[in-house]
Amino acid sequence: MPSLSYHRPSSITEAVQMAHDDPDAKLLAGGQSIIPSLKLGLLAPSAFIDLGGLADLRGVRLAGRSLRIGAMSSHAEVANSADVRKHLPALAHLASGIGDRQVRNRGTIGGSLANNDPAADYPGAVLGLGAELRTDRRAIPADSFFQGLFATALGPDEIITAVEFPLPERAAYVKFPQPASRFALVGVFVSLTGKSVRVAVTGAGACVFRVPELEQALARGFSPESLAGITMPADALNTDLHGSAEYRAHLIPVLTRRAVAQALA
Amino acid sequence: MPLQIQLRVNGSAVTTEITPDTLLATFLREHLHLTGTHVGCDTASCGACTVLLDGLAVKSCNVLVAQVQNCDITTIEGITPADGSLHPMQAAFKACHGLQCGFCTPGMIMSAIDLVMHHDHSSDAEIRAGLTGNLCRCTGYHNIVRAVMQAAPIMRSAKS
């Protein structure tokens, strides 16, 4: 590994200033994706700016009809939070299925979202619930946050501070995990709030995306039967060692039906 | 640039200088010579490097020492009582023949301790799901699951 500096800011303002002053530095959250990337030589930052000391970025808070989750909350903290389990069980279930127990003790929601891995689970929930990302300077709606392969709306020195999840009437997340890594080969998050239905798909494309055809069919009737006969084109979907684009296309309506059934259960 | 850090390892305070890219696994093995923590895959997949960080299982090949400033680390060397007897989880792995070559065993035991202390582990399925972060290429896992089931009530009664 090349020579690297390490900074541990004690406030969000200080962290933003450090990122601003050194464009080659990288923010470090739990490190569960960035440390492997560093080891593989996929990136060579001048410095890590470790957000681990910022207590303001942790914790889950229920505020009216939404749950605010601090960006540095670990997957295990989200999965075990009494508030998340009670008010947004689909999100607790999603968090409890990320990676493995050791990874869940370190990995964070903010780190996962800033990284925007095409097969990550959290982007499914954020887009599938129409959540809002809070940063040090603004609020970014999920619909404009995810911009492509490992690409987001974040500025180079912008830090996610929390994610605000509106509470739906019904929601569920079902993934077909790659059995070794437990990343999503395809994962589908569905939610119903009033008459609004959202269907977000992760693992299948360059980054998470919504499927208007499935949403419209479910808005007419929120049941697995409403999806009968709908097929997905394989264009622009991922093909890799674990599955072809056609296979992933096939899984999208299958998993959506299962997610709707689970949301209704 | 070297970094001055302090942490506790198996109950003892450690103050040291490291480079910022030093992995916790490397630090434990090569600086402190605690070679019970194994490095198998070095990609955070196999779990052989599992240690407890403030009581929670983590993969030490995927954590920087710089990140664990002022934290408590427990390795396999730190779980045995002062009289040299075995920790209940170690004793159960021995009694149930929960190992063959033994390479995965330190990580498996550290992971199993966190599982029993903090997570549901009453069924075979829960234990298997709880140990997905640890790979064993010898045993087929059956005896490992039996060992965790045997150790769990002993650990719980010791805790209460």
Side-chain angles (χ1 to χ4, degrees), chain B residues 151-160:
Chain B
I154 302 167
M155 282 180 61
R156 281 197 306 268
S157 66
K159 188 181 167 191
S160 57

Short mmCIF file of all heavy atoms in Angstrom, two decimals, chain B residues 151-160:
data_model
loop_
_atom_site.label_atom_id
_atom_site.label_comp_id
_atom_site.label_asym_id
_atom_site.label_seq_id
_atom_site.Cartn_x
_atom_site.Cartn_y
_atom_site.Cartn_z
N ALA B 151 -21.73 -25.21 24.40
CA ALA B 151 -21.09 -24.14 25.18
C ALA B 151 -22.09 -23.08 25.65
O ALA B 151 -21.89 -22.48 26.71
CB ALA B 151 -19.99 -23.47 24.35
N ALA B 152 -23.14 -22.87 24.85
CA ALA B 152 -24.03 -21.73 25.11
C ALA B 152 -24.61 -21.70 26.53
O ALA B 152 -24.50 -20.68 27.22
CB ALA B 152 -25.14 -21.68 24.06
N PRO B 153 -25.21 -22.79 27.02
CA PRO B 153 -25.79 -22.72 28.37
C PRO B 153 -24.73 -22.51 29.45
O PRO B 153 -24.98 -21.85 30.47
CB PRO B 153 -26.50 -24.08 28.55
CG PRO B 153 -26.00 -24.96 27.46
CD PRO B 153 -25.50 -24.07 26.36
N ILE B 154 -23.52 -23.05 29.23
CA ILE B 154 -22.44 -22.88 30.21
C ILE B 154 -22.02 -21.41 30.25
O ILE B 154 -21.83 -20.82 31.31
CB ILE B 154 -21.24 -23.79 29.85
CG1 ILE B 154 -21.70 -25.25 29.81
CG2 ILE B 154 -20.08 -23.59 30.82
CD1 ILE B 154 -20.71 -26.20 29.18
N MET B 155 -21.91 -20.79 29.05
CA MET B 155 -21.54 -19.38 29.00
C MET B 155 -22.63 -18.52 29.62
O MET B 155 -22.35 -17.55 30.33
CB MET B 155 -21.31 -18.94 27.54
CG MET B 155 -19.96 -19.39 26.99
SD MET B 155 -19.74 -18.85 25.28
CE MET B 155 -19.83 -17.08 25.43
N ARG B 156 -23.89 -18.86 29.34
CA ARG B 156 -24.99 -18.06 29.88
C ARG B 156 -25.03 -18.14 31.41
O ARG B 156 -25.24 -17.14 32.10
CB ARG B 156 -26.33 -18.51 29.28
CG ARG B 156 -26.58 -17.96 27.89
CD ARG B 156 -28.05 -18.08 27.53
NE ARG B 156 -28.54 -19.45 27.69
CZ ARG B 156 -28.55 -20.36 26.71
NH1 ARG B 156 -28.11 -20.05 25.51
NH2 ARG B 156 -28.99 -21.57 26.94
N SER B 157 -24.78 -19.33 31.95
CA SER B 157 -24.85 -19.44 33.41
C SER B 157 -23.64 -18.75 34.05
O SER B 157 -23.74 -18.21 35.15
CB SER B 157 -24.97 -20.90 33.84
OG SER B 157 -23.79 -21.59 33.51
N ALA B 158 -22.51 -18.73 33.34
CA ALA B 158 -21.33 -18.03 33.88
C ALA B 158 -21.57 -16.52 33.88
O ALA B 158 -21.06 -15.80 34.73
CB ALA B 158 -20.11 -18.37 33.04
N LYS B 159 -22.35 -16.06 32.89
CA LYS B 159 -22.60 -14.62 32.74
C LYS B 159 -23.55 -14.12 33.82
O LYS B 159 -23.41 -13.01 34.33
CB LYS B 159 -23.22 -14.41 31.34
CG LYS B 159 -23.37 -12.97 30.90
CD LYS B 159 -24.02 -12.98 29.51
CE LYS B 159 -24.54 -11.63 29.08
NZ LYS B 159 -25.37 -11.73 27.87
N SER B 160 -24.53 -14.99 34.19
CA SER B 160 -25.56 -14.51 35.11
C SER B 160 -25.11 -14.64 36.57
O SER B 160 -24.13 -15.25 36.89
CB SER B 160 -26.87 -15.27 34.89
OG SER B 160 -26.66 -16.65 35.04
#
